[in-house]
Amino acid sequence: MGIDQTDENFMAQALALARQAADAGEVPVGAVVVEEGKVIGTGFNQPVSRHDPSAHAEIVALRAAGACKGNYRLPGTTLYVTLEPCMMCAGAMVHARIHRLVIGALEGKAGAVVTHPSLQQDWLNHKVLVSTGILAQQCSRLLTDFFVQRRAAQGKAADPLDHFTPRA
């Protein structure tokens, strides 16, 4: 089964946003919220520059989409994100009533959708459809390269346990 071109195109937009995060010295994660084929919110990681622990790419994109729609509920939307969301972001997606989540790379430590499937718990009042692996290699490579460069700049040797842990 091939990759949906639309999914690939929107993930490419999320990757471009992730590169903006990397250029700003932030962990390179990008997110795009889409409704009926149109982008209604974008974001990239900004917790360092905004001094805001909640300024993850997904949260920034959800806030922008909510402002665009004039509502915090975003039913019928799809969120594209380059890295598997954390628990905070997964919870925000449930509250926003995101219809579908499309993930690039899986996060082998703190991912809260596939790695540690908190998003699919029976007690939640909303279920999000999940697709994975869209442009996964490009998403993983961007993150891995970012952490390799960061360690090199700090004079540290590569330590596979000290950074992003991609999963296939």
Side-chain angles (χ1 to χ4, degrees), residues 17-19 21-22 26-30 45 82-83 139 142-143 146-147:
L17 291 161
R19 288 184 192 98
E26 303 273 3
V27 174
V29 179
N45 265 5
T82 57
L83 180 64
C139 294
L142 180 62
L143 285 153
F146 174 82
F147 284 107

Side-chain angles (χ1 to χ4, degrees), residues 36-123:
E36 297 178 0
K38 295 182 182 175
V39 174
I40 62 168
T42 64
F44 58 86
N45 265 5
Q46 301 172 55
V48 175
S49 61
R50 288 190 178 187
H51 311 287
D52 178 357
S54 70
H56 290 195
E58 302 93 310
I59 301 296
V60 174
L62 290 171
R63 287 176 179 156
C68 175
K69 298 301 292 178
N71 195 336
Y72 76 103
R73 299 279 198 218
L74 302 168
T77 59
T78 298
L79 174 64
Y80 293 84
V81 64
T82 57
L83 180 64
E84 180 181 4
C86 70
M87 189 179 307
M88 173 185 68
C89 295
M93 286 182 271
V94 169
H95 287 291
R97 305 298 193 265
I98 295 296
H99 174 71
R100 181 170 173 246
L101 169 65
V102 180
I103 301 169
L106 297 180
E107 213 298 11
K109 288 183 181 180
V113 177
V114 177
T115 303
H116 304 287
S118 63
L119 190 60
Q120 302 304 327
Q121 298 300 313
D122 289 336
W123 53 266

